[in-house]
Amino acid sequence: MTEARMDPVDAIAEQWGRERPDLDLEAMAIIGRLGRLTIVAQHAIEAVFTAHGLQRGEFDVLAALRRSGAPFELNPSVLADTLMLSRAGMTGRLDRLESAGLVRRLADASDRRAVRVALTDEGKELVDTVVTAHTRNETRILSVLSAQDRKDLDRIARRLLASLEGQD
């Protein structure tokens, strides 16, 4: 394995170590790198969506509809809850996607007061294309890690996330 090179997090930890040698900075460095990793990875991930004319949130709506299975329809409230989004935020996304011809709003057959959101054929085709590019991109991002490293990282991330979400 190659020796780790210095990065901006090291510089921050070094400065804190100089100014506050009494602090244990290991956690700060790890959390700092996780934060930087999130930012850098998000840019690489969002580039795929942008290349296909979508924003991240729009992709999320299309993906939620697609993975719901045929007939690829959901209630807007269910969509908002699934994506942890306000009802107003969901309305804005749906308006944009409907204007682009990627979704349509339909009267709910079981409750005429309710609406369902459905993928159009164009929306289904687009989300299938984008999710293929998206998963390839994420695989590329993680390709620097061995298969065992990826399993270890997943296990560690699950444990940390569960503890922070109070599931541990």
Side-chain angles (χ1 to χ4, degrees):
M1 175 169 256
T2 61
E3 186 177 319
R5 62 183 173 89
M6 296 288 287
D7 67 10
V9 174
D10 290 317
I12 292 167
E14 191 174 283
Q15 290 168 336
W16 276 118
R18 182 187 67 237
E19 296 300 317
R20 291 289 310 275
D22 59 307
L23 296 175
D24 178 358
L25 301 171
E26 180 185 40
M28 179 189 280
I30 293 168
I31 298 292
R33 283 192 182 86
L34 289 173
R36 283 181 47 79
L37 177 60
T38 298
I39 291 167
V40 172
Q42 281 305 116
H43 287 299
I45 289 166
E46 288 172 6
V48 170
F49 304 138
T50 302
H52 290 89
L54 293 172
Q55 297 174 13
R56 171 73 188 232
E58 294 166 344
F59 170 78
D60 290 344
V61 171
L62 297 175
L65 288 166
R66 177 63 174 97
R67 70 177 182 261
S68 72
F72 313 113
E73 296 178 9
L74 290 171
N75 173 297
S77 298
V78 170
L79 266 173
D81 291 345
T82 299
L83 300 177
M84 295 177 279
L85 192 64
S86 71
R87 303 299 190 255
M90 179 54 64
T91 298
R93 287 183 189 179
L94 293 177
D95 288 347
R96 289 190 301 276
L97 291 167
E98 190 172 36
S99 292
L102 302 174
V103 301
R104 65 182 181 277
R105 290 177 170 108
L106 309 167
D108 190 316
S110 62
D111 180 355
R112 293 184 349 180
R113 297 168 296 162
V115 173
R116 299 199 47 87
V117 178
L119 275 179
T120 62
D121 290 341
E122 182 182 348
K124 183 178 178 288
E125 184 178 321
L126 178 62
V127 73
D128 281 346
T129 297
V130 177
V131 78
T132 298
H134 175 53
T135 56
R136 284 183 183 151
N137 187 41
E138 288 181 324
T139 299
R140 179 193 60 77
I141 289 168
L142 294 178
S143 68
V144 67
L145 302 176
S146 70
Q148 187 59 54
D149 286 343
R150 291 189 305 272
K151 285 179 185 173
D152 291 344
L153 181 59
D154 184 58
R155 177 183 49 76
I156 292 165
R158 282 175 187 270
R159 183 183 329 149
L160 184 58
L161 190 56
S163 78
L164 290 171
E165 291 179 335
Q167 300 171 11
D168 199 30

